Amino acid sequence: MKPITMLDLKSEFPLVEQGVRTAINEVLESQHFVGGSHVATFEEEIALRTGAKHAIAIGSGTDAILVALMAFGITSGDEVITTPFTFFATAGCIHRTGAKPVFVDINQDTFNLDPEKIKAAITPNTKAIVPVHLFGQCADMDAINDIAAKAGLKVIEDAAQALGSSYKNKNAGSLGDAACFSFYPTKNLGGFGEGGMVTTSDDALAERIRQLRNHGQTDQYHHQFIGGNFRLNTMQAAILSAKLPHLDSFNTRRRAIACQYSDLLADVPSVQTPRVAANCQSCFHQYSILTDERDKLREHLTAESIGSGIYYPIPLHLQPCFENLGYHQGDFPVSEETAKRILSLPVHPMLDDADVKRVAGCIVQHQSQAVPAEATGRS
Ligand SMILES: *Cc1c(COP(=O)(O)O)cnc(C)c1O
């Protein structure tokens, strides 16, 4: 049986190949490999798409988060609130500034930061909140911005998984004081290597990030503060610009696949399909279901040559490197429970309807033999 994988970049390549090869040739002929017009053009394109005034290209999504935190002056002694249910980089970058990551549990339906629980985590040392738009669904930004405004905190969106997503008709990337994107090859817009972007509508912050990405240089060989080499290379910018025109159709296909899965799995009581808030449009970076005995279902799918993923198996407050933060098992029950029950299904745009039916069919068949939901006390 033909394997169905979580990602299929080889099938996608012919669709973008011509544009990408032209772009690469332009860079080769220019022999200009850092900065230049391709980077500036790609920045303008992302600013336009997100609705933010500025976009500053960065070497990776991780460095985008780090440089945004640095630009807000976040440093040792500060606290930054975020979710424990995210990719490591979100909290890793907070720690690298010297600040303390302070975790707040997630909402059961969206897997995103629960605004109701944020207030209790704010102290006089809190400087910022970093909500993550997990799997492509935006966090509850109105509630988060409201809390932040009242407490004088900055809001930095981790929008690494959300290029093309919207919240109340506003685009991810324009919903906080700054936002960070990733163009890692597995993301909805993926480069041929590492890449990232910070977006913001704050002129002074944008200027500061441009300086920080180039070792804090304000005038040539004049360093007002310490930054790093956070630059995006020209080749990636050119490739990403060439791929960008395909993003909307790829995201539309992801949404259609998500709809199809949710219809096909609607009558399986032991499976909870993703819940997208009415005012949100997700780019479905991942399509993630919840089920008991997740590992058994995963084994069954593997046996049927169907890929799946667990994002994320260990909430960050339980990672060994964060032991010194003093968190324990049981501190964030929704995140911990979700980590045990979540399973992401293939949702990349190259899947055809038959693939989606086969994946859903395997799940329906497996779950009909599994313990019914009532017996476990869940619905
Ligand atoms: C991918 C990702 C990052 C990091 O981006 P890189 O480009 O891999 O450094 C950060 N946060 C989240 C939520 C991500 O998914």
Side-chain angles (χ1 to χ4, degrees), residues 60-62 65 86-87 89-90 132 158 160-161 182 184 187 195 312:
S60 71
T62 301
I65 299 170
T86 175
F87 179 62
T90 320
V132 179
D158 181 341
Q161 303 184 358
S182 164
Y184 188 73
K187 299 286 156 73
Y312 295 90

Side-chain angles (χ1 to χ4, degrees), residues 332-355:
F332 305 108
V334 184
S335 295
E336 291 169 22
E337 177 86 354
T338 303
K340 288 188 190 122
R341 301 180 67 225
I342 201 151
L343 189 68
S344 300
L345 307 179
V347 71
H348 67 76
M350 297 300 110
L351 295 171
D352 60 28
D353 291 354
D355 294 329

Side-chain angles (χ1 to χ4, degrees), residues 13 165 257 271 352:
F13 184 52
S165 297
I257 293 167
V271 167
D352 60 28

Side-chain angles (χ1 to χ4, degrees), residues 112-360:
N112 284 329
L113 210 46
D114 186 344
E116 308 255 309
K117 294 172 186 155
I118 291 177
K119 256 187 219 147
I122 296 174
T123 78
N125 296 326
T126 310
K127 291 285 153 54
I129 306 174
V130 184
V132 179
H133 305 323
L134 202 71
F135 305 144
Q137 168 155 221
C138 290
D140 188 355
M141 293 302 292
D142 278 356
I144 292 169
N145 283 331
D146 208 43
I147 294 164
K150 285 190 182 120
L153 310 177
K154 297 297 180 187
V155 176
I156 303 168
E157 302 168 65
D158 181 341
Q161 303 184 358
L163 186 63
S165 297
S166 64
Y167 172 88
K168 300 189 179 175
N169 294 317
K170 282 167 67 183
N171 297 316
S174 68
L175 304 169
D177 294 294
C180 307
F181 291 96
S182 164
F183 308 113
Y184 188 73
T186 61
K187 299 286 156 73
N188 290 34
L189 178 66
F192 291 7
E194 309 280 350
M197 188 76 73
V198 180
T199 55
T200 181
S201 292
D202 177 332
D203 296 343
L205 189 84
E207 180 64 14
R208 182 121 177 143
I209 293 170
R210 288 187 188 282
Q211 293 163 346
L212 282 168
R213 101 174 141 179
N214 197 20
H215 292 292
Q217 185 169 284
T218 44
D219 284 303
Q220 198 171 26
Y221 303 124
H222 182 92
H223 301 265
Q224 199 82 49
F225 36 83
I226 296 171
N229 175 355
F230 298 129
R231 298 181 296 256
L232 179 71
N233 71 69
T234 311
M235 194 72 86
Q236 290 310 324
I239 290 165
L240 288 161
S241 274
K243 287 188 75 179
L244 186 58
H246 299 269
L247 180 68
D248 284 336
S249 61
F250 285 171
N251 281 350
T252 299
R253 179 68 193 139
R254 283 173 183 268
R255 286 184 191 112
I257 293 167
C259 257
Q260 210 182 339
Y261 273 138
S262 292
D263 284 347
L264 293 166
L265 297 172
D267 297 328
V268 184
S270 59
V271 167
Q272 183 186 308
T273 55
R275 293 171 178 169
V276 180
N279 52 20
C280 285
Q281 196 168 38
S282 175
C283 68
F284 278 100
H285 174 62
Q286 298 293 348
Y287 180 94
S288 306
I289 60 170
L290 290 176
T291 185
D292 293 335
E293 312 249 19
R294 179 263 324 270
D295 295 339
K296 280 191 186 153
L297 174 59
R298 190 169 198 220
E299 275 170 36
H300 177 71
L301 292 174
T302 306
E304 298 287 335
S305 303
I306 295 169
S308 60
I310 297 175
Y311 313 109
Y312 295 90
I314 307 170
L316 298 187
H317 67 288
L318 301 177
Q319 292 289 350
C321 67
F322 287 139
E323 214 170 320
N324 63 347
L325 296 177
Y327 291 110
H328 299 100
Q329 184 94 38
D331 284 346
F332 305 108
V334 184
S335 295
E336 291 169 22
E337 177 86 354
T338 303
K340 288 188 190 122
R341 301 180 67 225
I342 201 151
L343 189 68
S344 300
L345 307 179
V347 71
H348 67 76
M350 297 300 110
L351 295 171
D352 60 28
D353 291 354
D355 294 329
V356 178
K357 279 190 190 128
R358 202 177 114 207
V359 175

